[in-house]
C-alpha cells in the first residue's frame, strides 16, 4: 500500500512511510481533541462514524483518493475538514516540513489516513458494541500512545498539547464511572 501511495503522490516510499506515521496519529489526536472539547464531543465523533459510512465506505474513500491521482476527492476533503477544521492547513504543512514532502502530498496522505482511522474506529465500535461514551473512553485510552507517537510540536498544532501533557489516567476515568459497592475500596475494585 505504501508503494501505491508513494507512486500516486510522487514521493519516496521512505518519506511516505514517515508522513503516514505522522498523519495517522494526527487524525487520531484530532479526534481525541474533539471528544474532550465539549460534553457532547464523544457523541459528535460517534455520530460521524455512524452517519455516512460503513467500514467499507471509509476504505472506498481512501481507494478513491489513491485512484484519483493523489488529489483528495470532495468527500475526503469534507472528512478532513470535519476532523481537523481550521487546523488542516497547518497540520499538512507540519507533516510536509517534518517529513520532507510537498504540502499537497501531505494533504493527500492526510486524505488517506483519515478514512483509514475512521474505518478502523467504526470497526472497533461495532465489534465491541460501543456507544458514544465507550468511544470516548477508547480514544482517551490512547492518550499515552499519542503522546509518544506525535512529533514535538504537532500536539500543539492539533490543539491537544495540554490534554497530552498532564498525567491522563484513562483507566481511572473508566473505573470511576462504575458504581461502587458498599464496603469496597477503590483498590479492592482494581485488584
Amino acid at each position: 500500500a505504501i508503494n501505491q501511495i508513494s507512486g500516486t503522490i510522487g514521493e519516496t516510499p521512505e518519506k511516505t512511510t514517515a508522513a503516514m506515521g505522522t498523519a495517522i496519529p494526527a487524525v487520531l489526536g484530532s479526534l481525541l481533541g474533539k471528544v474532550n472539547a465539549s460534553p457532547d464531543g464523544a457523541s459528535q465523533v460517534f455520530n460521524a462514524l455512524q452517519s455516512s459510512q460503513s467500514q467499507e465506505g471509509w476504505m472506498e474513500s481512501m481507494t478513491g483518493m489513491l485512484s484519483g491521482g493523489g488529489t483528495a476527492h470532495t468527500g475526503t476533503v469534507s472528512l478532513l475538514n470535519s476532523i481537523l477544521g481550521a487546523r488542516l492547513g497547518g497540520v499538512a504543512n507540519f507533516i510536509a516540513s517534518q517529513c520532507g514532502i510537498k504540502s499537497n502530498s501531505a494533504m493527500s496522505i492526510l486524505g488517506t489516513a483519515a478514512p483509514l482511522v475512521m474505518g478502523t474506529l467504526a470497526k472497533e465500535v461495532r465489534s465491541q458494541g460501543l456507544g458514544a461514551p465507550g468511544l470516548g473512553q477508547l480514544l482517551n485510552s490512547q492518550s499515552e500512545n499519542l503522546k509518544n507517537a506525535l512529533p514535538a510540536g504537532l500536539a500543539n498544532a492539533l490543539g491537544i498539547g495540554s490534554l497530552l501533557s498532564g498525567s491522563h489516567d484513562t483507566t481511572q476515568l473508566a473505573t470511576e464511572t462504575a458504581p461502587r459497592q458498599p464496603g469496597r475500596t477503590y483498590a479492592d475494585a482494581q485488584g
Side-chain angles (χ1 to χ4, degrees):
I2 290 294
N3 286 335
Q4 183 183 0
I5 295 167
S6 64
T8 301
I9 63 174
E11 302 287 352
T12 67
E14 296 77 19
K15 288 182 178 182
T16 302
T17 299
M20 191 63 106
T22 304
I24 289 173
V27 171
L28 196 57
S30 185
L31 292 171
L32 174 66
K34 284 188 170 301
V35 161
N36 289 285
S38 67
D40 68 336
S43 293
Q44 291 174 9
V45 174
F46 181 81
N47 291 338
L49 286 177
Q50 301 296 312
S51 66
S52 63
Q53 304 261 352
S54 64
Q55 179 191 357
E56 294 78 21
W58 295 116
M59 295 311 179
E60 286 172 11
S61 294
M62 183 177 73
T63 305
M65 190 285 300
L66 290 173
S67 64
T71 57
H73 291 289
T74 304
T76 306
V77 171
S78 176
L79 175 61
L80 286 173
N81 282 326
S82 73
I83 293 173
L84 291 161
R87 294 184 169 100
L88 177 57
V91 170
N93 289 337
F94 183 97
I95 292 171
S97 66
Q98 180 82 16
C99 301
I101 62 175
K102 299 178 291 276
S103 289
N104 62 340
S105 296
M107 192 69 75
S108 293
I109 287 173
L110 280 166
T112 303
L116 181 64
V117 169
M118 295 297 277
T120 302
L121 282 175
K123 182 179 177 182
E124 284 300 306
V125 163
R126 275 196 312 275
S127 71
Q128 295 184 36
L130 300 177
L135 173 63
Q137 289 178 349
L138 175 65
L139 287 168
N140 277 306
S141 75
Q142 297 304 306
S143 294
E144 194 63 34
N145 293 331
L146 281 171
K147 185 176 178 179
N148 296 328
L150 291 171
L154 186 52
N156 290 335
L158 291 168
I160 60 170
S162 61
L163 185 64
L164 297 182
S165 66
S167 58
H168 194 69
D169 184 357
T170 56
T171 305
Q172 188 173 356
L173 274 177
T175 57
E176 284 181 348
T177 59
R180 294 187 183 196
Q181 296 177 356
R184 294 187 74 198
T185 66
Y186 178 74
D188 292 336
Q190 296 299 306

